Amino acid sequence: PHAPSPEPPDPLDPAQSRSQSPSMMSFSCSSIGAALLAILVAALIATSPKGVTPNVIPDDSYTNLVPPWPIFRALVPLSDFFQSAAAALTPPNVRLLNLATSFWKSEVLYALTKNGVIDAVGDGPVYCGALAKTIKLDPAVTCRYMNAGVKLGLFDKDSDGAFSATEMGKLVQGNTTGNMRSFVLMINEESRDAWRAAGVKSIKTGAKSGFHENFGTEFWEYHESRPEKSKQFDEAMLAVSVGMIGAIIADYPLPKPDAIFCDIGGGQGSLLANVLHHYPNATGILFDLPNVAGTTGQSFFDKRRIKGSGKGYHRKLLR
């Protein structure tokens, strides 16, 4: 004889309703959450700016590094939401511990960068002991730092114990286009010392900046007398400006094709150079300190289209 077919669930039976309600409620909440998320993303995309299309887009344009406006518009709030959710789920004592010891991470990054470890890894894979001997470092200490670099996402480590640089790690290698090596060094050298002096000296008197308290002179005078530090600073600013430059060009429409674009405090003129590359009929004015603007060369500009000076051209920013 055949077994009787099971009776369908009775939605009016309280016992059956209680046994099914958790999974049904979970499914319903998930569905509602997904629907609300989809509606939010659609609304963000629909209200997103459209951006602009420059007259010329070179192959090496920084705009290629910037996501289209609709995607950017949708991803930023989502990223903020998930970061806030992660923070809310982390106990306050753990968050405080992470905050108090956050400099440990930057010190590991600085050591691996300053001592040439990340550069020496190249494309990998390499073993830490052999690498340390090659660049004349202590193998045991170097291996410990490189293992810390794995935890920070700078390296991958395979089952044989060999290290390779991750995409983030490659951003600190000096031969990577658009690398951030100079920024990592600068922000962990004089900038670090200036912040500490500001917190223990300037905060009491207010008379001098943290930089002046620590180095006996202000930031610009310090760099003017140290060409190697000035060069490092310029490279650091370019490294952190790449995304910003791409975003400006992708979003800011020049009022007319032959506009004059003035870059105040523009350093060696990386922003201005890129604007002119995208708008061939435009001209530009670079305004900065004489020792900074004076280093602008043919590698960046056609000098018939730009003037570099430490004197005032700022009566009009755009014409």
Side-chain angles (χ1 to χ4, degrees):
H2 296 288
S5 301
E7 292 292 329
D10 182 357
L12 300 180
D13 184 346
Q16 294 187 23
S17 298
R18 282 196 299 272
S19 65
Q20 296 174 25
S21 59
S23 60
M24 293 177 64
M25 289 178 63
S26 176
F27 176 77
S28 299
C29 290
S30 299
S31 300
I32 292 173
L36 291 175
L37 182 61
I39 292 173
L40 174 62
V41 171
L44 291 171
I45 291 176
T47 58
S48 169
K50 304 304 180 184
V52 299
T53 302
N55 292 351
V56 175
I57 303 181
D59 292 338
D60 59 350
S61 173
Y62 290 161
T63 60
N64 297 327
L65 304 177
V66 180
W69 255 113
I71 295 177
F72 180 82
R73 170 87 167 164
L75 290 182
V76 170
L78 290 176
S79 175
D80 291 342
F81 170 78
F82 287 119
Q83 290 184 45
S84 298
L89 294 172
T90 304
N93 62 316
V94 176
R95 279 188 284 154
L96 183 59
L97 181 64
N98 289 337
L99 180 61
T101 60
S102 59
F103 77 97
W104 292 355
K105 300 175 183 179
S106 61
E107 284 298 321
V108 170
L109 173 60
Y110 176 74
L112 293 171
T113 304
K114 180 69 173 180
N115 292 292
V117 176
I118 300 183
D119 278 325
V121 169
D123 294 329
V126 297
Y127 294 98
C128 59
L131 179 145
K133 293 178 180 178
T134 300
I135 56 178
K136 297 179 172 55
L137 299 177
D138 180 81
V141 177
T142 302
C143 289
R144 293 176 66 182
Y145 267 91
M146 292 182 71
N147 281 318
V150 173
K151 298 294 185 181
L152 296 178
L154 299 170
F155 301 124
D156 286 325
K157 187 177 181 181
D158 64 24
S159 57
D160 292 329
F163 294 80
S164 301
T166 63
E167 290 303 311
M168 182 170 72
K170 291 177 181 177
L171 287 175
V172 198
Q173 294 179 339
N175 61 354
T176 299
T177 302
N179 73 80
M180 301 181 69
R181 187 178 189 278
S182 291
F183 178 80
V184 169
L185 296 176
M186 181 204 74
I187 210 68
N188 286 286
E189 291 175 347
E190 59 264 32
S191 294
R192 178 204 60 185
D193 297 335
W195 273 101
R196 176 54 60 89
V200 297
K201 295 181 180 179
S202 300
I203 198 171
K204 296 177 181 178
T205 66
K208 300 177 182 178
S209 68
F211 200 97
H212 196 290
E213 289 284 6
N214 191 79
F215 294 100
T217 186
E218 288 299 343
F219 183 87
W220 299 114
E221 287 76 12
Y222 175 88
H223 284 79
E224 187 173 358
S225 62
R226 295 167 177 81
E228 74 287 353
K229 287 292 185 180
S230 181
K231 180 177 182 292
Q232 179 176 279
F233 174 78
D234 289 337
E235 292 173 349
M237 292 300 98
L238 176 59
V240 297
S241 299
V242 168
M244 177 197 71
I245 291 171
I248 290 174
I249 294 173
D251 187 55
Y252 179 74
L254 289 185
K256 55 183 181 178
D258 60 347
I260 299 176
F261 189 92
C262 186
D263 192 0
I264 305 296
Q268 291 187 321
S270 54
L271 170 60
L272 183 52
N274 279 275
V275 169
L276 299 182
H277 288 162
H278 289 75
Y279 293 93
N281 294 323
T283 55
I285 297 173
L286 176 64
F287 176 80
D288 211 308
L289 295 172
N291 65 301
V292 177
T295 64
T296 302
Q298 292 288 356
S299 59
F300 271 115
F301 301 107
D302 175 350
K303 289 194 175 181
R304 293 171 298 178
R305 297 174 57 209
I306 184 168
K307 300 176 182 178
S309 176
K311 299 181 179 179
Y313 283 103
H314 59 289
R315 65 182 186 276
K316 288 188 178 180
L317 297 181
L318 207 61
R319 183 169 75 232

